[in-house]
Amino acid sequence: MKINSQSMKLLNEQLIVRILVEKGSLSQVELSRITKLTPSTISRIVFDLIKMGLVEKGKRIQTSALGRRATSLLLTKNFCSSVVFNVGVEQTEVAVGYLDKSTKKLYTFPTGTLSSFIEKVNEFLNLLRNEQPVSSKYTSIVFAFPGIVDPQKAEVIYAPNLNWRNVKLTELIHYNYPIFADNEANLSILAESALSNDVKKFGNAFFLYISQGIGGGAIINNKILRGARFAGGEIGHTVVEARSNTKCHCGNYGCLERFASLLLPITEYEKNGKKLKGKTLGEKFDSLIKMNNIGEQRAKEALKGFLYYLSIGLINIVNTFNPNVIILGGDSNSIWKNFGEELYKMISKRTMPKTLEGVIFRDTIFDKGSASIVGGNMLAIEHIIETLS
Ligand SMILES: [Zn+2]
């Protein structure tokens, strides 16, 4: 871009919106200090951002020990930056996101077949305008999928557990706003990189998304690993039993997700007729953890194979991606809390020397299923910033 006063103004606007997204509310004085722009430049830009409907004046806040007070500036919640469809194999969650990174879940519906799914999404989007504060200029529609997605074209290339192929969303969804789509694990690591200090600090992290299947999202040197055909980080389809007869949805045999998805320990526990409490996979898995924690032998047995293969998956992540942070999430957000010690013992026996040094393992900071929603909203916010004019 040629630098003239107009493009300079745009760069400064983008900078200020980015800082407000990152830090939350700030005063003009604080913005001036952070950006090193003069107070009068800040004033002019803030005036324009208020006129564009992106920024609002908030409460007067104390900004120094001497009791000086200044008006805080915040990103508006008058419109939603995104409507996110978080597509799971069983259910799809619908949520809205705002410029300040907050999100709100609205409701869920059974995902069903591709045609019924598309019908429901179009139906919902028709009603949306009356129910939610959408902006014809700024609101994007974002889809999170369990599978391989071309984010530039918003096309689902292949979602094995749904058996959907080559779904061109822009041709099927009737809506005048930008449509984005990405893999749920990629969006989850994006959310963690926007809100977690460890991922921000290191820029090398892996999100292991465990639900009905297993997905993976990697950030390497601060960039999402996509690969030539957008299947970068698909750890769920790495082979962990080379001579296995267990067929995977992807067509291969012995894939990690056929041994370490949440379905495995639940099916194992329920195979003799005893049912676990809960409707969804995540709820049932929580019940299984509870049974395990009160010492039920049957639950312990059911979890054994799952934890063994999960440790194999984690070893492969450490040895392949060499991340600083490994995050477990998806339909459970307490696997590491409950089984971290046991998993770490197994992992430390089999990783290459030095690769495990200082690696942080943890559960996601987000509620079940929320990481991909927050990540989807981050994608929409980035689009708003990039297309400011
Ligand atoms: Zn597979």
Side-chain angles (χ1 to χ4, degrees), residues 236-237 248-252 255 257:
H237 299 282
C248 182
H249 289 106
C250 74
N252 199 355
C255 292
E257 80 165 30

